[in-house]
Amino acid sequence: DVKVTQSSRYLVKRTGEKVFLECVQDMDHENMFWYRQDPGLGLRLIYFSYDVKMKEKGDIPEGYSVSREKKERFSLILESASTNQTSMYLCASSPPDRGNQPQHFGDGTRLSIL
Amino acid sequence: GEDVEQSLFLSVREGDSSVINCTYTDSSSTYLYWYKQEPGAGLQLLTYIFSNMDMKQDQRLTVLLNKKDKHLSLRIADTQTGDSAIYFCAERWTGTASKLTFGTGTRLQVTL
């Protein structure tokens, strides 16, 4: 089975801090994704990456950046955390875009910005 | 962008069937997925359907796809308390690095 591991289940940080959320997958997947989940809004794509050192903006990239130095690891960075970034963050990975290749998700990181 | 819509809440009695509905707007979507999210957890893939199919059955789950109306549904037969969760539909189309567009999610509550 595919395993996607997010480093923290719960995280509390202060406004203005630089925050790192880490995600590791063990299936050698090319594609990796970061979403945030808010009640009534579903999942919204922040950034994704289709290869090492490659990144693409999703639907809501403002206030975030990402890093993919190794294939298995995709980091989400909040450069200067703000209270409106309090949310559940979900990481996912998938193989290349051939046929049916669903995304596999980690358990999420619930981030609170005080 | 493309919108995927779901009703926010559904309540059913244990043993009844649940039907969760989803509408999407992109007619070029190739695969449509149903994911389940239990409290405090990530999303778990339940089932999927290819866009040239009308129906797919997998044990207690039946997926129906009406491409003309851009309507997708998930039927859960003999609903159990363990089915209580949030259910997300998602659509995918080719050439987008497996990007998915998710619906808002439907919270299914199963009562005794």
Side-chain angles (χ1 to χ4, degrees):
Chain A
D1 277 356
V2 176
K3 184 73 174 172
V4 179
T5 303
Q6 295 184 230
S7 54
S8 304
R9 292 297 302 274
Y10 301 94
L11 208 52
V12 180
K13 297 290 183 181
R14 295 201 175 276
T15 304
E17 279 193 71
K18 190 168 185 175
V19 181
F20 293 84
L21 301 184
E22 305 287 348
C23 176
V24 176
Q25 49 94 4
D26 66 356
M27 284 301 291
D28 203 36
H29 284 168
E30 280 77 1
N31 300 321
M32 295 189 76
F33 307 83
W34 274 107
Y35 296 89
R36 64 177 283 176
Q37 180 183 3
D38 300 288
L41 297 177
L43 274 69
R44 293 180 291 167
L45 181 64
I46 304 170
Y47 267 97
F48 68 100
S49 168
Y50 53 88
D51 203 349
V52 175
K53 296 193 186 295
M54 305 300 287
K55 60 185 179 184
E56 293 280 345
K57 292 180 180 179
D59 300 319
I60 51 163
E62 295 79 18
Y64 303 94
S65 62
V66 289
S67 172
R68 189 142 182 228
E69 295 297 317
K70 294 185 178 181
K71 193 175 186 181
E72 67 269 21
R73 185 179 297 268
F74 193 34
S75 303
L76 180 69
I77 304 156
L78 286 66
E79 297 289 345
S80 177
S82 63
T83 54
N84 63 11
Q85 292 178 309
T86 291
S87 187
M88 169 74 108
Y89 289 87
L90 291 163
C91 175
S93 72
S94 72
D97 189 26
R98 290 190 294 271
N100 176 33
Q101 301 291 4
Q103 293 182 14
H104 301 269
F105 283 82
D107 285 336
T109 296
R110 189 166 292 281
L111 175 65
S112 296
I113 306 296
L114 304 179
Chain B
E2 296 76 17
D3 288 328
V4 181
E5 295 186 355
Q6 301 177 240
S7 54
L8 290 180
F9 187 76
L10 176 66
S11 181
V12 299
R13 285 181 175 267
E14 188 177 40
D16 288 351
S17 292
S18 308
V19 179
I20 302 171
N21 295 303
C22 172
T23 58
Y24 60 98
T25 57
D26 192 334
S27 59
S28 61
S29 57
T30 55
Y31 287 93
L32 295 122
Y33 300 91
W34 283 103
Y35 283 86
K36 176 184 181 183
Q37 184 182 36
E38 295 181 353
L43 273 66
Q44 169 196 354
L45 178 68
L46 274 183
T47 188
Y48 67 92
I49 190 166
F50 186 48
S51 57
N52 68 354
M53 297 169 66
D54 299 322
M55 185 183 88
K56 180 179 180 181
Q57 188 151 1
D58 184 0
Q59 299 181 331
R60 290 191 298 124
L61 305 178
T62 303
V63 179
L64 295 178
L65 176 60
N66 181 330
K67 280 200 78 173
K68 176 175 169 290
D69 295 337
K70 298 189 182 70
H71 184 264
L72 179 73
S73 67
L74 174 69
R75 179 177 179 269
I76 306 173
D78 187 25
T79 311
Q80 303 297 307
T81 54
D83 295 324
S84 294
I86 302 175
Y87 291 81
F88 291 93
C89 63
E91 62 171 341
R92 201 197 100 183
W93 52 99
T94 55
T96 57
S98 303
K99 277 173 60 180
L100 300 180
T101 299
F102 285 85
T104 51
T106 299
R107 182 178 294 277
L108 175 64
Q109 176 180 278
V110 182
T111 59
L112 296 174

